[in-house]
Amino acid sequence: GIQVEQSPPDLILQEGANSTLRCNFSDSVNNLQWFHQNPWGQLINLFYIPSGTKQNGRLSATTVATERYSLLYISSSQTTDSGVYFCAVNSGNTPLVFGKGTRLSVIA
Amino acid sequence: DAGITQSPRHKVTETGTPVTLRCHQTENHRYMYWYRQDPGHGLRLIHYSYGVKDTDKGEVSDGYSVSRSKTEDFLLTLESATSSQTSVYFCAIRNRGGGDYEQYFGPGTRLTVT
């Protein structure tokens, strides 16, 4: 099956700093999603981005499907950005396969 | 909000007892999923359903069964709970909007098996 690797596993930032999270996947996909799990455990949809670039406020994401990776950019980080960021992919009608996540801590 | 609720939200049970978790959705989605989340493992698929009475196994299905007798409800049953099934369980649906198939998650159920 598809393998998903995320890096870095842990990241500590000072408030206001920028960061880039990476997701590599092992096979062709037709769906890629980024999620944020907040400290209360809720999984929040950030982006549906099988290819191309999208932006939502301080967050943006780029997926290069031909090279099998996606990047999540967080600019001007805030303490509310803390939590775990997951990348998940699938192909066809198969269920999403998740990476192990990047744990982000933003310090005031 | 994709109209997903899970019940119970928290449960403590003893080893060997049966447990059923419920996922309920209000928007007539065809696909529903059960995942478990454990430290160091991310989210792993237990079972999923692609219609009423149509289900399939996921990566970690041993010790779990599911049922879907109507579109809105997807039940996950632990026939005889073990301590290794202590976890947070998430239900998800797949929403088709504008040709995209985006997955959304419920709030989760924290299960502790003592």
Side-chain angles (χ1 to χ4, degrees), chain B residues 39-57:
Chain B
H41 290 280
L43 285 96
R44 294 180 293 174
L45 182 70
I46 305 171
H47 282 279
Y48 68 102
S49 169
Y50 46 96
V52 173
K53 300 191 188 303
D54 292 323
T55 64
D56 205 348
K57 296 179 180 180

Side-chain angles (χ1 to χ4, degrees), chain B residues 23-88:
Chain B
C23 178
H24 179 78
Q25 53 122 339
T26 59
E27 298 181 0
N28 206 35
H29 299 292
R30 179 182 171 194
Y31 283 82
M32 299 183 75
Y33 309 86
W34 278 107
Y35 289 83
R36 61 178 288 174
Q37 184 177 30
D38 305 290
H41 290 280
L43 285 96
R44 294 180 293 174
L45 182 70
I46 305 171
H47 282 279
Y48 68 102
S49 169
Y50 46 96
V52 173
K53 300 191 188 303
D54 292 323
T55 64
D56 205 348
K57 296 179 180 180
E59 176 188 359
V60 290
S61 60
D62 286 349
Y64 301 95
S65 62
V66 290
S67 66
R68 191 164 179 205
S69 59
K70 46 186 178 178
T71 300
E72 57 266 36
D73 287 327
F74 191 31
L75 304 181
L76 177 70
T77 297
L78 291 65
E79 301 290 348
S80 178
T82 67
S83 58
S84 65
Q85 293 176 312
T86 292
S87 187
V88 180

Side-chain angles (χ1 to χ4, degrees), chain A residues 31 33 37 45 48 93 96, chain B residues 35 37 100-103:
Chain A
N31 179 15
Q33 291 183 238
Q37 187 168 38
N45 289 41
Y48 170 89
N93 285 324
L96 283 178
Chain B
Y35 289 83
Q37 184 177 30
D100 296 337
Y101 291 92
E102 191 166 352
Q103 207 162 302

Side-chain angles (χ1 to χ4, degrees), chain A:
Chain A
I2 297 174
Q3 305 295 313
V4 182
E5 291 187 3
Q6 292 187 241
S7 60
D10 296 280
L11 186 59
I12 301 174
L13 295 177
Q14 203 72 34
E15 197 170 28
N18 303 328
S19 61
T20 300
L21 282 58
R22 186 175 181 102
C23 172
N24 292 333
F25 44 96
S26 62
D27 208 342
S28 299
V29 299
N30 56 16
N31 179 15
L32 187 144
Q33 291 183 238
W34 283 97
F35 297 88
H36 174 219
Q37 187 168 38
N38 63 24
W40 295 270
Q42 185 182 8
L43 282 158
I44 299 163
N45 289 41
L46 296 178
F47 293 102
Y48 170 89
I49 186 165
S51 64
T53 298
K54 291 186 178 180
Q55 181 157 6
N56 185 2
R58 296 180 296 102
L59 273 60
S60 64
T62 295
T63 297
V64 184
T66 53
E67 298 187 22
R68 299 180 185 170
Y69 73 89
S70 183
L71 302 174
L72 177 68
Y73 305 96
I74 304 173
S75 64
S76 303
S77 58
Q78 301 176 357
T79 55
T80 52
D81 295 329
S82 296
V84 183
Y85 289 81
F86 290 104
C87 169
V89 303
N90 73 339
S91 61
N93 285 324
T94 61
L96 283 178
V97 175
F98 281 76
K100 294 187 177 181
T102 292
R103 182 174 298 278
L104 174 65
S105 299
V106 181
I107 301 169

